[in-house]
Each structure stands twice: as structure tokens, then as C-alpha cells.
Amino acid sequence: MNVDDVKRTMAIKGIGVSPGIVIGKAYLFDRFDAQVPLYHLNNKTLVQREVTRFRAAVKETEIQLQELKDKLHDLGDKEPLYIIDVHILILKDRRFTDATVEHIREKAVNAEWALRITIDSYREIFDKMEDDYLRGRISDIQFVGQGILRNLAGKKRETKTDIGEGIILVAKELSPADTAQTKIDKFLGFATDFGGKTSHTAIVAQSLGIPAVVGLEKITREVTTNDDIIVDGSSGMVIINPDPEILRRYEVKRRHYQELKAISLSSARMPAITKDDFRVDIGGNIEFVEEIPSALEHGAENIGLYRTEFIYINRDKLPTEEEHFSSYRSIVGVPGLAWTTIRTFDLGGEKFFSDPKLGREMNPQMGLRAIRFCLKEIELFKVQLRAIARAAAYGKTRLLFPMISSVEEIRQAKKIFQEVREDLISEGSSLGSDIEIGVMIEVPAAAIIADKLAKEVDFFSIGTNDLIQYALAIDRVNERVTYLYEPLHPAVLRLVSQVVKVGHDAGIRVAMCGEMAGEPAYTLILLGLELDELSMTPSAIPRVKKIIRNSTLEESRELLKKVMTFSLSADIRKYVGKYMRGRFPEEFLING
Ligand code: PEP
Ligand code: MG
């Protein structure tokens, strides 16, 4: 595919009303939405004819609603029935129909236009209501109005009965009637422009357990049918045309989310302490600030990784310092989170989402990415660093630099941060005084010189996604080589083991924030490696914590010692898999 054909990634925030993550193809539900015409009627006969036409359309709408109600009743789908009753009551409400007839007569206009005037006057009244639920009920009137408009135009409702697999419904708003007629249970998820927590979409989605995000305002304008789309009903984010990296990450999130269904969240906030008293701090990885509530709910004790590059999605212009600040401010000092680790942007290469042209490098993964990009674009880097230093005044903050491969780079980054701090002090800004500085250990060179890097920083965070990619020379988004992507490769285990040891020798904490940290099958291996912190996608936390609480450091060390004697990754995988299935049969029923 030509790079210019790559569709731009876009993230839109709405209201998550039914939790869960789905990835699929968009289907733009084109409910008949008449462009309401206006024409004047210049004699009494025409006016009378228009009134008759309007009343006939009302009658027809009522018959259709009644038919729909009977159909739903036969299907045993009781939930939406009362809503259809409400729609029928509106139709029968003389104030609604009489007002429209009056507009036709008084203003000598066509029925469509008169109806629009009636609906608009209702909207004005509803808009003033304080109660969210009542305000949202304008959608019932709009729905009824659309039914009448459709009949006035002589068009039948669009029905979609042959939905394929993996389709996500995108619509302005869905009524239960719409959803009933579109074989709702075939859809993976919903994303709508309108609606709130009590909208029909929300009610129906929850009762069917289908992830949904509503109130997206412009989703129908941005999406075309067949676009790739991700709906995260937990955080309220919808991502259109995700790039391969985002897609991969959300596939992991989705899998953890599905596995989580079997586990209760009641003990999620309990600490991860082994039976022999070894504590691992468990953090959450987030991409959007909206994910904080979900991180807390799933038991995150801190934010171990905030991937700030996501601030750049759907932008033409770079974010200002204030925009950065407001994001960071909202995730720093959150009650229940011990600290927030803000990683400076990992942009460049393939990660400059907004402009694919910037990704035109032969080997973008090895290109001008992350800290390399920032050290070239110092002014842009400083904007972010200023915002982080300011936000740190509000709670414990850790600053994390990605893709460090030499002591020179970390020294340079620290120097720039120091300059930024001095500038802020001289400007009289308040800023955090105890910001810890860490490096991602994700380039093999950094792992090899970890002893030198340890002297420069307060903590390490091992990024296994990249560390594995670079150590094993496997492009992490190239599906042709995924079979070689092996976290349990002896080389990976050795690298991690060495980094932990060197970090501890230097007296600094060592975290892991790559996807490997959240795989329950690896939890004992990671315990045996004695990582101080594991940070992962929030939905992975409850299972990992549960395993830690039910094991001992001693057995984990034994397991690690044993597998370190193997030469083949396949043998390690087999051995660890068997061990974990034997020890935690309940946890590994699903994926073996
Ligand atoms: C990693 O490389 O493991 C990591 C956590 O960073 P990212 O996935 O954002 O590259
Ligand atoms: Mg990385």
C-alpha cells in the first residue's frame, strides 16, 4: 500500500456506557434522516391535503410501531417494549400532532417543515431540564418524528438483517426499535454521536453485554463503512483506522478483558504480596487519561506507564504546553495512585500518527524515534518537559525517557530537563521538587550498559515489547515473524535478569512495563526475576495479582533457576506452561 493511502488514525472520546473492548469494521447505519424540505402551500385545498397527508403518516407510523412491538414480544425481548409504548403515546399525544397541524395551517407550510418546528420547540423545553435522564428523553420525540418523516417521504425503514461477522455499528443514535430491526446481537459494538448514560443505546447495549460508546458527537462524520475501528466501552475511547501498533496493543487489551470476565474485581485493590512476604508494586499502563478510573477499578496502585504520544493522535498542530499540562495534571496526584510515570513521547518512525509521511523511513523502528527525535527537536521536547515539571507539583511524578541507548542520551535529556526546571523557577512557576528520573530499558545496548545507566537515574523500566523486538531482530508489528517473537527466549530472560541484578546492585528499583509484565503465564518467572514493579494494561492486573498472592518467591526462584538451564525457548515455554497450569488450574483453563 502506498503510504499516502494510509488512513489517518483518529481517536474520539465519548461516554463509555457498556464496558469491554471490540475491534472490527465499521458499518455506518444510515437511518433515514431526511433533509427536511420547505415549501409553501398557496391555497386552502393544498393546506387541507397536507394535513391529511400528515395524519396518514402518523397513523402509518403507529401501525409500524405496533408491529415492531409485537415482533419484539414474540422474540421474548421485553426490555425495549416499554420504550416503544412511550413512542406510541407520543404519537397519540394530541399536543404533538395538533401543534404540527396548526403549523401547517397557520404557516401554510409542508408537513415535514411543520413537524420540524414542533420537534424543535420540544427540544428547547427538554434542553432546559436539569435532570440528565429527562433531558435525554428528547431522543424519543426525535425518534417518533423521524418515523413520521420517513412515512411522509414514502420510504421504508432501512433494515439490515444480513450483518457479517466482526461489525461495529456506527450511528447518530440508536433506538431499541432500530437495534431490534438490525439484528442487534450480530454486532460487536456500538458507537453513536448522541446519547448519554441513560440513552436507549446504553440501556440495550448493557442488557446485551455489547460494548458501547455514546456521545461521540461526530463519529458518523468521521467514519465510513468498512473503516477499521476500535470501541473501548470502558474508557469511552473510539479509535478509527488504528495504526498497526495501536491495533496490536488493543488486541492484547481485548484478550485480557475477555479473560477477566471470569474473575471478580472485589479483591483487585489488595496488594500483590506473595505468601512469603515479597511485595511487587503493580502499576497500570495507560494511553489516554480517561483510562484512570478503569486502572483504579482493576487494582492499579500507580501509573507505571503513561504513553504520552497518544496526545498527538488526530492533530494537525502540535499540542501547546497548556494542553500537555492539563493532561498530566489530571493524572498526577490521583487518590489511590502512589505515583504517575509519565513517559516522554515516543514519536517519530511509525509513531507520528498524525502525519504518516513522517514515517517514511526504510526501517522506522530503528529510525528517528522517541528520545532520538526529541533530542533533535529540542524546542518541542521542552514544551512537554515544562508541562511535566509543572504537573509534578501536584503529586508524585516519575519521568521516563524511552529508547535510551547510551549514557550520552540520558545525560543530554537530563540536562534539557534541568534547563527547563531552571527556566520555570526563574519565571516563578511552581514545579515538583522530587521528580524521579528513569530510563526505559528497551534497546539491547541499554541492557548491556545498564550498570553505567544506573548511575544516571533513579529507576529502570524494562520495555519488553521493544527489547524483544531488537534483541531477537523481530519486527513487532510484522505478522510474518510473530512466530519468532518469544518473551521466554533464553536471551530475553538473561537480559532481564542482568538488568534487574545490575539495577539492584546500584540500589535502584527495576520495573517492567512491556506486555510481558501482564501475561499471567509469565508471572512466576517475573517474580523469580525479582522485579520490583510490574506495570500492565489495567484489565490484566486482577489475574496477575491473584497469582502473586497465591505463590511464593521461593518457588518462583526455583522455577526460574530450572528454566534458565534450558537451551530451547520451546522447552521453557512447555515447562512454564505445564507448571502454571498445574499450580493455577482455574487461571489457565481459557488459553491453556
Ligand atoms: C515497550 O517497548 O515494551 C514499551 C512498554 O513501550 P511501547 O510499547 O510503547 O514501545
Ligand atoms: Mg517501547
Side-chain angles (χ1 to χ4, degrees), residues 245 248-249 305 307 309 343 346 351 369 440 442 463-466 476 513-515:
E245 181 57 38
R248 187 193 59 74
R249 219 168 268 157
L305 176 65
R307 293 176 158 113
E309 56 273 14
R343 183 177 76 181
D346 186 350
K351 281 192 170 184
R369 195 188 138 182
M440 295 277 300
E442 53 183 349
T464 48
N465 305 340
D466 279 314
R476 67 194 245 191
C513 66
E515 244 61 75

Side-chain angles (χ1 to χ4, degrees), residues 20 41 68 120 159 163 186 220 272 326 345 354 394 412 432 436 439 446 470 484 572 587:
L41 311 163
L68 179 63
D120 283 352
T159 58
I163 299 294
K186 290 273 177 99
T220 54
S326 97
F345 26 72
S354 294
Y394 298 88
Q412 237 182 310
E436 288 185 7
V439 284
Y470 297 124
L484 291 170
I572 302 180
E587 294 305 318

Side-chain angles (χ1 to χ4, degrees), residues 346-514:
D346 186 350
L347 291 172
E350 288 204 322
K351 281 192 170 184
F352 207 123
F353 308 98
S354 294
D355 189 350
K357 291 190 201 75
L358 285 179
R360 279 186 183 165
E361 291 180 306
M362 279 292 273
N363 286 305
Q365 301 279 10
M366 298 196 189
L368 192 64
R369 195 188 138 182
I371 198 70
R372 304 167 183 183
F373 180 80
C374 291
L375 294 178
K376 279 234 182 288
E377 300 286 340
I378 291 177
E379 287 317 307
L380 183 147
F381 193 29
K382 279 188 168 179
V383 172
Q384 180 178 38
L385 291 176
R386 283 174 63 93
I388 297 173
R390 286 172 52 207
Y394 298 88
K396 184 161 178 183
T397 305
R398 304 202 307 187
L399 175 62
L400 181 59
F401 294 112
M403 288 283 290
I404 294 286
S405 60
S406 66
V407 172
E408 288 88 327
E409 280 172 345
I410 183 61
R411 285 199 183 152
Q412 237 182 310
K414 278 177 24 185
K415 183 164 164 276
I416 296 168
F417 186 53
Q418 189 48 32
E419 283 167 19
V420 159
R421 289 170 53 91
E422 282 161 16
D423 288 349
L424 284 167
I425 291 167
S426 66
E427 290 164 24
S429 294
S430 51
L431 67 165
S433 54
D434 58 348
I435 305 175
E436 288 185 7
I437 294 182
V439 284
M440 295 277 300
I441 302 287
E442 53 183 349
V443 177
I448 294 163
I449 58 159
D451 55 329
K452 311 273 185 215
L453 291 172
K455 297 196 181 99
E456 307 287 330
V457 294
D458 303 306
F459 69 99
F460 285 156
S461 190
I462 303 176
T464 48
N465 305 340
D466 279 314
L467 187 61
I468 297 169
Q469 145 165 285
Y470 297 124
L472 305 183
I474 291 152
D475 180 348
R476 67 194 245 191
V477 291
N478 180 347
E479 65 284 0
R480 294 164 76 178
V481 286
T482 36
Y483 73 100
L484 291 170
Y485 193 91
E486 178 51 90
L488 295 179
H489 191 297
V492 176
L493 296 182
R494 278 192 195 179
L495 280 172
V496 174
S497 167
Q498 187 201 323
V499 171
V500 177
K501 186 174 175 316
V502 165
H504 287 173
D505 286 349
I508 65 170
R509 285 168 73 80
V510 184
M512 178 181 281
C513 66

